[in-house]
Amino acid sequence: MTAKEYLSQAYYLDQRINSKIEQIASLNELARKATVTISDMPGNPNRGKSAMASAVERIIDLEAEINAEVEKLVDLKVEITKAIKQVEDRNYQVLLEKRYLCFQTWEDISAELGWGLRWTHVLHGKALAELDEKINNAH
């Protein structure tokens, strides 16, 4: 696994968490739309669950998945932070942290650090090369 692939794991995990949060919002909306029919007639015991009950169950399952993935993301970010600290150049460290832990865009990183976009990409390549070397020498 390259340094870039290793560092990118956190971003993809964060995106999966965000996707599940969006799914919960959609299910909450569906549950609010579900209506309950009140009748004095006994219900059919063979009838399936209501749309609301199904939505609530799915919300609970998704929330449990999100909690587990958030824990994994926190652990992964701690691991990535340790890897980034192996890089000696502080500019490289800051660049890698902003990109792979804060998920900032190249434009935002360049503006914040006062670098041109092209220079940011050059430094990123150098930072990844150094981290690749550190990772490969560790194994």
Side-chain angles (χ1 to χ4, degrees):
M1 177 181 301
T2 66
K4 186 173 183 176
E5 291 168 337
Y6 173 73
L7 295 172
S8 295
Q9 293 177 98
Y11 175 77
Y12 294 114
L13 184 53
D14 186 67
Q15 291 302 303
R16 280 202 322 260
I17 291 168
N18 289 336
S19 173
K20 288 179 182 176
I21 290 170
E22 289 174 20
Q23 290 175 46
I24 287 175
S26 176
L27 287 169
N28 276 324
E29 186 63 31
L30 178 67
R32 278 194 285 282
K33 289 179 183 177
T35 58
V36 178
T37 305
I38 300 176
S39 169
D40 58 355
M41 296 298 293
N44 181 351
N46 297 327
R47 197 174 122 222
K49 297 179 205 170
S50 72
M52 182 183 287
S54 295
V56 169
E57 283 181 4
R58 185 65 186 133
I59 289 168
I60 291 168
D61 291 344
L62 279 171
E63 286 175 344
E65 289 176 26
I66 289 170
N67 288 336
E69 288 190 347
V70 165
E71 284 182 34
K72 280 173 43 178
L73 180 60
V74 169
D75 292 343
L76 184 58
K77 282 188 166 192
V78 167
E79 192 179 303
I80 288 171
T81 299
K82 288 178 185 175
I84 290 173
K85 286 184 179 179
Q86 293 179 35
V87 175
E88 293 175 23
D89 188 299
R90 293 216 186 265
N91 286 325
Y92 294 173
Q93 287 179 8
V94 171
L95 173 61
L96 293 173
E97 288 169 357
K98 288 185 176 297
R99 182 66 179 175
Y100 297 103
L101 295 173
C102 301
F103 314 126
Q104 290 184 351
T105 66
W106 293 118
E107 293 78 11
D108 289 344
I109 295 168
S110 297
E112 256 186 65
L113 299 177
W115 300 336
L117 190 56
R118 182 175 248 161
W119 183 241
T120 302
H121 287 294
V122 168
L123 291 180
H124 176 251
K126 291 180 179 187
L128 287 178
E130 185 176 328
L131 187 56
D132 263 330
E133 190 176 308
K134 300 279 185 187
I135 291 171
N136 289 331
N137 287 339
H139 293 112

